[in-house]
Amino acid sequence: MQRTIVIGNISLDHIHRPGHPPLHQLGGAALHLAAAAARAGLPAAPAASIGSDLAHLPDDLRLPALDWTLLYHAPQPSAAFTIHYDRAGTVTAVDTAYGAAEHLTAHALRVIDRHPQAAFHISGRRPLDLPAVLGALTARDHTFTLDFHLPSAPHLIPAAAPWLHHATTVFVNAEEHLLLTQSTGSRPCPEVVVTDGPRPAYAVLNGRPGPPVIPPAVPVLRQITGAGDTLAGTYLAHRARGIPPGTALTHAVQAASRHTIQHPLTLPAPHRAPP
């Protein structure tokens, strides 16, 4: 299958949930999505900007085999996000230190220019200059998919509107879908995957919703970050094999549910012993 380059953040996440001790873990959409794609059989290469604090990331024993050659090693610390949740699992506050991620746009544009044969997935998150990246992809006629993150979606979805109909697939949650519909108007995206947490997910093909896919019940919720990215990466891997959207989404929803019951990638990470 064609290699997919995942442009986005890889970060250090500090998670605060009522009734749970604080967690310090690996995070970022580029990491979770590329890992899920690789586990489902799609060759994936995260293109992210990291600091020396994540220099040993390729040696983390918990991650699948990924192509790590497209990491940019910046002089600043890696991006760090402190995320606060309420008891229902809803984000209530996010404190951000972008650090190395400030280099992501320049790095992404170089990667796009140097890899004309690759497919791309773009994680639409700040501080990425999304119009610049989508403009470059479209100008070079690259195949690309796209997702958003609710805190920045009200700004980034309208900013991305001129290029959205070029995307093969766009991943959104229920609230982002409303913003997407408002921004695309009479030119719907060819394929949109809509998720809503533990509620049914569905694919919209050329403006027509498909049957809902109901997530399985989750007995123990061990982590609440990365489920959407896991769903997207798994979906892309199955679609790359020619599997129909409904079947691909069923596999993706199941993978996202399994992700939430696994232990998070807490720090410090176990590393391979040097040769």
Side-chain angles (χ1 to χ4, degrees):
M1 285 188 287
Q2 184 182 27
R3 179 178 67 159
T4 294
I5 296 173
V6 183
I7 294 175
N9 294 325
I10 296 179
S11 59
L12 300 168
D13 290 352
H14 310 292
I15 308 299
H16 296 268
R17 296 168 60 194
H20 297 266
L23 280 181
H24 307 288
Q25 63 188 59
L26 289 173
L31 180 67
H32 286 301
L33 195 145
R39 289 188 181 101
L42 179 65
S49 179
I50 62 171
S52 60
D53 46 6
L54 288 180
H56 296 292
L57 192 62
D59 296 322
D60 193 320
L61 290 167
R62 302 166 297 181
L63 296 173
L66 294 171
D67 178 352
W68 295 106
T69 60
L70 300 182
L71 294 181
Y72 175 75
H73 295 268
Q76 295 95 335
S78 299
F81 299 96
T82 301
I83 310 172
H84 298 266
Y85 293 87
D86 62 18
R87 293 190 180 277
T90 302
V91 175
T92 58
V94 179
D95 299 319
T96 302
Y98 288 124
E102 297 285 3
H103 298 270
L104 180 58
T105 297
H107 177 53
L109 294 175
R110 289 192 296 267
V111 169
I112 290 167
D113 189 53
R114 295 171 184 173
H115 296 84
Q117 303 303 318
F120 286 82
H121 179 84
I122 311 302
S123 293
R125 312 283 197 274
R126 290 178 174 141
L128 187 68
D129 185 340
L130 196 54
V133 170
L134 296 183
L137 289 167
T138 303
R140 291 162 178 78
D141 201 28
H142 280 300
T143 297
F144 69 93
T145 55
L146 183 64
D147 74 88
F148 294 96
H149 187 225
L150 187 57
S152 56
H155 169 72
L156 291 183
I157 289 179
W163 301 276
L164 289 174
H165 64 282
H166 292 286
T168 304
T169 308
V170 178
F171 297 89
V172 289
N173 67 19
E175 293 181 62
E176 294 160 358
H177 189 219
L178 295 175
L179 296 169
L180 185 71
T181 303
Q182 294 166 3
S183 296
T184 55
S186 60
R187 298 185 74 183
C189 304
E191 184 172 286
V192 179
V193 174
V194 185
T195 60
D196 194 10
R199 289 165 286 280
Y202 59 96
V204 182
L205 306 179
N206 296 311
R208 297 183 177 181
V213 177
I214 300 173
V218 175
V220 179
L221 187 65
R222 290 197 174 101
Q223 61 177 327
I224 51 182
T225 61
D229 303 314
T230 298
L231 184 149
T234 306
Y235 183 87
L236 292 177
H238 286 286
R239 291 291 283 135
R241 288 198 290 272
I243 294 175
T247 305
L249 184 56
T250 298
H251 289 298
V253 166
Q254 292 170 348
S257 294
R258 288 194 299 271
H259 172 85
T260 64
I261 64 175
Q262 294 170 355
H263 291 285
L265 301 173
T266 52
L267 298 170
H271 292 140
R272 294 177 178 87

